[in-house]
Structures are given as C-alpha cells and as structure tokens.
Amino acid sequence: MKGPVAVTTYGELQGRQENGVNVWRGVPFAQPPVGELRFRAPQPPESWIGLRDASEFGPVSPQPLDSRGTRFGGGNPPHSEDCLYLNIWAPANGGKELPVMVWIHGGTFITGAGSQPLFDGTSFAARGNVIVVSINYRLGPFGFLHLSPLGDGLASNQGLLDQIAALTWVQRDIAAFGGDPKRVTVFGESAGSMSIAALLAMPAAKGLFAGAIMQSGAAQTLQSGQADAIAAALLAELGIFSASGAGLLRSLPAETIIAAAERMTYKLSGDSLSMFFQPVIEPFTLPENPADALAKGSASGIPLLIGTNRHEGNLFFREGSAAGFEQSLQALELLMGTGNLSEVARHYPASWEGQAEILTDLYFWSSSVVFAESQQAHAPVWMYRFDWIVPGHPFFGKAVHGAEIAYVFNNLSLLSQFGLEITPSMTSMAEAMQEAWIAFAHCGDPGTTQQPWPQYRPGDRATLIFDKKIRIVHDPEPEKRKRLIHNMGRNSL
C-alpha cells in the first residue's frame, strides 16, 4: 500500500501509515555538513526530482557507541556526519493548521538522536491531534566546538544552528503535513532543554516558535575563554597547534576527531562529571547568558512550561561508583562556572547520596527556578516536579534524570527492557502528563479540566507535583530555594 505523500518546498515525500498515524522519517532539513561544510553553519537542503522515500530514519550524528544497548532499542544505527534529518508524525485522518511539537533530544550534547524509540510521536499525534517533529543536530566536537575565533567561515554553536535550521524548515514546510507554523512548541529534555534555553536567547531563533517546554535543564553555557581553552586542547590532541592548521579539521576522519575528543575529556576531567561540548557565549550566535537575556525580554510573549525530577542526580551518582565528595564538588564548580561551593555542601551529607542531592538541587532545580523567574515577567510560566517512583526498582526506585520521558511520550512499553511491568497507575500518570503537554501545545496553558494548573508567580510559586497523587504545592522547600539561589549570586523574587 502506498503511504501518505507530502509536497514540500524541496520535493515530494512518501511516508508510511502506521498505527493510525502518518509518519515521514529521514527528511533532510539541511545539506550534509561534510567536507567544506564541516564545522560551518548549516545550509538549506537541496531539492530533488521525483518521489523521495521517507520510510526510514536517517543516520545519527557521530557519537560514542551505546554500550548498554538501550538508547536505540538494542542496536546501534548508522553514524554519519550526514545526519541533519527530522521525522514527522501526523494524525492519519488529516487536518489542517494543527499545533506542532518539535522535540529536541538530550544526551549531554554528545549522544542521542531524534530517532530513538523513546521519542516515537505516535501517541502524541493519535491522542492529541498534534504534529510531532523530532530532529537531529550535530553533537560533541562537530556541534559544539568553539571555532568562530579562527575565522575562515568556521562557526561556533553549530548544533544550535542546526536546531534553528530545523525550525526554519518547519516554518516553511510543516503546513504540507497539516501543521500550523504559527503554533510551534519546542520541547526537550536535559541537553535538549538546555538547547531551548539558548534558543530563547538567540536572535536568529526569534519568531521560529510560540511556546517552550523545558524538562530537566535550564541555561547551561561556557564563557568564551573556557571554550577557547577546550578548542585549543582538542586541536592539540589532533596535532594542530596554530590557527593556520585548523583547515586540517575538514579533512580528518570523523572517527579520529571523536577519539581525540574522548582522550581530551579524560585528560581534563578523568571520571568526574564534565561537559566540555555545550553552548558557548559568543557574539555571532549566542551573545548573552540565556537567563540574563530572558530577564531583559528576549523571549517576551513565549509561554514557558519548565520542571525537574525529584532525584535527578541519582542517575549520575550511585553507591560504589561515585568519585570522592570533594572531587565531585570541584567538578560541579567547574561544570556550573560557580565559585566555591563549600557553603552549599555543608548542608548535605559527605557521601554519594549527598553528591546526588547537590547535583539535583543546584544544577537542575535551582537553575530552573532562576530561569522561570527570568521569564515570568514577560510571559506566563508554569512549573512542575516529577516525583513518580517505582518502589524497590534498582533504577526507577528514584525519580532520576530522564525518568519522565516515557510518561510524556506515553511510550511506557519500552520500560519493559528495565524489567518493569506496566501498571494501571503508570498508564494514568502517562496520560495525565501527556494531556498537559498537549493542552500546552494547543492553547499555551497546561491546565486541563481534570487537572487545573495555576501559573508560577512570585509569592505563591505554584508547582504541580506528578506523583501518586497529582497535586499543586506552593513554593516547595522555600528555605533551600533561597539558600541555593543566593549562592548563585542572584536574588530570588
């Protein structure tokens, strides 16, 4: 049976109809960033003649292999620098001017892809009457190496520019799939959420989306001096010791660059938490810290839904596997670009549990509170916290970083690979979360008839808690909030 056909600016695409949803996979939104285009800003895709098959996912950005086999459903898809593809899910019964939800995946800016099974948009499209788009972007040294100071057309924040290119494609062509370019919501988790923080501050992203959902990640950037040092360290690892030799970057095999990046990372940080490839503050793309830009109105009029998980840090710190407490604290100081955190640390046990709590509270929760406060004067803001746990489970016994994604996408069946039996209460939680996200996409407000959700405002700080009983809590843990935000050098509203 022939699949659905969409006519885009660049040519015709034939997708597939699956489970009551039309799906187009592996749709190019930019030219392959290879050869002379490596490390440069993405260029518009080239047109094609005839009907292009869009039934299979495109390659993923070069990245370390998934040793656990869970990221891509038990296998490792093709890795290639030719990775700038997106995927679309749309209701099979058609429709026009539907809300569009563009998913930006996480993975510490070095792993992941829009094609991960966890991000399948079928449930969203079928239940919510929305269009779902998942995107790839360049990762690691290919997407976040600070090269613009070297000139010669080299860019910085290449991965963010890829995201802007994908959103530009959506503005131009999503109507061919039934979507409304005026009602685009970006949503993402971890590095995807941090990417959204940057997009909200980037002049080039203005007007490309109307709403934002940020899951477990706020403003996270490097200063240009830090990024300069990282770029120099990687170039030295590759045997490039001058700007004139940077042209070699375009001819070295991708595998050589990935291996050098892994060696550099280990030399600089060992086994400690680190993120050497991430957005950088630099004049051509991201001229200001996102939270500061938001406070000045860079995203005025864009509703924001933002939240974190109750035990984010327990994904990264486990008994017997954590670095020493002081070493971990120093790594967090470097990661966040803060001053000495000893005053913060004295409120936590000097153990792996304390390390997990500090990471949860300081890196994820308080930075999200600051981001929410930066935006609330310029647009409506809603905040949540995901507390849902599966008692006794070795992984989901805590509400760890990333635990909410399967519920948001209502792809709970994938949790069976972790030995979980899906219960009615888990299904109810997934439906409640997804309905809130769908409501936000449709009308810019996550509240539903079943679950009203007041805005996050100074004074009451209404926060919706996703737990066995979904409830609103006003200003959860206020004393901790004040202490942490004061340590960040900011005044809480």
Side-chain angles (χ1 to χ4, degrees):
M1 180 186 295
K2 290 185 178 180
V5 174
V7 182
T8 75
T9 302
Y10 305 99
E12 295 182 331
L13 291 163
Q14 181 159 8
R16 299 175 63 177
Q17 189 169 114
E18 303 170 353
N19 303 311
V21 170
N22 291 336
V23 187
W24 293 265
R25 300 181 174 92
V27 179
F29 65 83
Q31 292 182 39
V34 300
E36 287 300 309
L37 294 183
R38 181 191 270 180
F39 297 117
R40 295 180 183 270
Q43 298 300 306
E46 295 180 344
S47 300
W48 60 86
I49 297 174
L51 195 59
R52 180 185 177 115
D53 179 60
S55 59
E56 302 294 335
F57 290 118
V60 306
S61 178
Q63 58 191 272
L65 291 177
D66 178 17
S67 58
R68 292 187 300 174
T70 56
R71 191 182 309 150
F72 294 105
N76 273 298
H79 293 200
S80 173
E81 289 182 80
D82 179 8
C83 63
L84 299 185
Y85 298 93
L86 55 78
N87 317 291
I88 302 162
W89 289 262
N93 57 6
K96 295 182 179 180
E97 299 183 344
L98 299 179
V100 182
M101 303 181 71
V102 179
W103 173 255
I104 303 176
H105 71 82
T108 60
F109 296 106
I110 59 173
T111 64
S115 55
Q116 290 175 235
L118 192 59
F119 311 147
D120 185 288
T122 298
S123 180
F124 262 121
R127 295 185 69 243
N129 205 33
V130 298
I131 308 294
V132 177
V133 180
S134 70
I135 68 172
N136 288 354
Y137 55 97
R138 282 173 284 180
L139 300 169
F142 296 101
F144 295 93
L145 190 62
H146 183 40
L147 296 176
S148 58
L150 300 181
D152 194 27
L154 297 171
S156 296
N157 292 321
Q158 304 92 336
L160 296 178
L161 295 176
D162 294 342
Q163 295 167 15
I164 289 174
L167 290 166
T168 300
W169 186 96
V170 167
Q171 285 296 310
R172 182 181 296 116
D173 278 298
I174 202 62
F177 303 84
D180 183 353
K182 296 180 182 178
R183 292 202 291 167
V184 175
T185 297
V186 289
F187 69 130
E189 184 267 350
S190 192
S193 182
M194 295 169 187
S195 293
I196 292 170
L199 292 173
L200 287 164
M202 293 177 74
K206 200 167 186 66
L208 296 180
F209 54 92
I213 302 175
M214 297 172 56
Q215 301 169 211
S216 301
Q220 177 62 36
T221 58
L222 293 169
Q223 294 300 315
S224 59
Q226 295 173 294
D228 284 336
I230 292 167
L234 180 55
L235 292 177
E237 196 69 37
L238 291 166
I240 300 172
F241 297 97
S242 68
S244 61
L248 286 172
L249 284 171
R250 297 196 184 98
S251 59
L252 289 169
E255 296 78 11
T256 299
I257 296 174
I258 289 289
E262 291 179 348
R263 292 195 304 271
M264 179 206 74
T265 297
Y266 188 78
K267 287 178 180 179
L268 294 178
S269 65
D271 293 323
S272 298
L273 279 176
S274 63
M275 207 152 66
F276 293 113
F277 300 107
Q278 59 173 294
V280 57
I281 305 299
E282 62 98 35
F284 302 108
T285 54
L286 183 59
E288 191 172 12
N289 177 278
D292 294 336
L294 250 68
K296 297 174 184 177
S298 68
S300 180
I302 297 179
L304 174 65
L305 170 58
I306 186 170
T308 58
N309 295 354
R310 185 67 184 89
H311 311 108
E312 303 269 9
N314 286 73
L315 176 67
F316 307 96
F317 293 105
R318 294 176 176 276
E319 186 173 11
S321 64
F325 189 80
E326 290 301 322
Q327 180 185 354
S328 174
L329 204 61
Q330 291 169 8
L332 185 58
E333 291 168 356
L334 181 63
L335 186 64
M336 296 191 67
T338 66
N340 189 291
L341 292 177
S342 58
E343 175 58 27
V344 170
R346 73 181 184 85
H347 295 277
Y348 298 84
S351 62
W352 72 266
E353 292 100 330
Q355 295 175 56
E357 289 179 36
I358 292 175
L359 189 66
T360 296
D361 292 345
L362 191 61
Y363 189 67
F364 290 104
W365 178 53
S366 61
S367 62
S368 295
V369 169
V370 167
F371 207 77
E373 292 184 351
S374 297
Q375 180 67 349
Q376 62 83 37
H378 305 285
V381 174
W382 290 266
M383 181 163 275
Y384 74 88
R385 194 179 74 198
F386 182 80
D387 285 18
W388 183 271
I389 66 170
V390 180
H393 191 272
F395 189 78
F396 293 109
K398 297 283 188 179
V400 298
H401 186 65
E404 87 290 357
I405 300 175
Y407 294 86
V408 168
F409 278 87
N410 203 355
N411 287 330
L412 295 179
S413 62
L414 296 174
L415 297 182
S416 61
Q417 64 185 317
F418 297 97
L420 278 177
E421 180 180 347
I422 309 308
T423 65
S425 60
M426 292 169 68
T427 300
S428 296
M429 172 60 68
E431 290 174 351
M433 290 198 79
Q434 191 174 68
E435 285 170 7
W437 268 234
I438 289 168
F440 187 86
H442 273 273
C443 59
D445 184 334
T448 65
T449 303
Q450 295 77 20
Q451 182 57 63
W453 191 337
Q455 292 181 33
Y456 185 86
R457 292 189 173 98
D460 65 350
R461 300 175 179 276
T463 303
L464 190 139
I465 308 297
F466 287 105
D467 202 354
K468 298 296 188 265
K469 179 181 179 182
I470 299 176
R471 64 196 187 279
I472 297 292
V473 172
H474 295 280
D475 198 7
E477 302 186 88
E479 294 307 314
K480 180 189 286 187
R481 170 182 57 78
K482 294 173 185 175
R483 182 176 70 246
L484 291 172
I485 292 178
H486 175 73
N487 184 82
M488 295 169 72
R490 292 180 177 269
N491 295 315
S492 192
L493 296 175

